[in-house]
């Protein structure tokens, strides 16, 4: 957020099988659909109204969820204080060995 505090996060783990984590919401979970079979994966992660997340991988929607107490079972009642914040920055951890580059797309396009 604008103060530099966490505003929620999305993480992907590829081993042993692809799974995701919605930070400050839940634990690592297998994707509901198979990821595209490709060596190069291009991800589009969008924070949606609700709030929620829509995740596309190589133009295929692999996750679409509206966050709630029922979804965010690891942080019931607390998840919203992270996920209702404005996204002002994207960070990748130093342990990330899969990403080559990223860019933030303006909310309403160019």
């Amino acid at each position: 957020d604008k103060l530099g505090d966490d505003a929620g996060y999305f993480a992907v783990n590829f081993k042993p099988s692809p799974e995701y984590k919605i930070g400050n919401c839940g634990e690592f979970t297998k994707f509901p659909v198979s990821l595209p079979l490709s060596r190069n994966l291009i991800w589009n992660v969008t924070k949606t109204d609700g709030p929620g997340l829509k995740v596309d991988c190589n133009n295929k929607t692999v996750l679409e969820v509206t966050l709630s107490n029922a979804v965010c079972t690891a942080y019931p009642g607390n998840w919203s204080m992270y996920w209702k914040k404005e996204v002002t920055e994207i960070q990748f951890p130093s342990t990330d060995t899969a990403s080559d580059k990223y860019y933030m797309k303006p909310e309403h396009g160019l």
Side-chain angles (χ1 to χ4, degrees), residues 23-87:
N24 302 317
C25 174
E27 302 301 328
F28 273 102
T29 305
K30 291 186 179 187
F31 282 93
V33 298
S34 298
L35 298 184
L37 297 175
S38 175
R39 180 163 171 75
N40 296 311
L41 300 176
I42 299 172
W43 297 86
N44 184 11
V45 180
T46 304
K47 181 180 172 192
T48 59
D49 291 336
L53 280 179
K54 181 179 182 209
V55 180
D56 295 332
C57 182
N58 291 9
N59 294 317
K60 175 184 178 181
T61 299
V62 294
L63 180 67
E64 194 163 8
V65 61
T66 299
L67 304 181
S68 67
N69 285 336
V71 171
C72 297
T73 55
Y75 293 82
N78 294 325
W79 63 270
S80 63
M81 70 182 189
Y82 296 98
W83 283 97
K84 290 189 177 181
K85 293 181 179 182
E86 178 184 359
V87 177

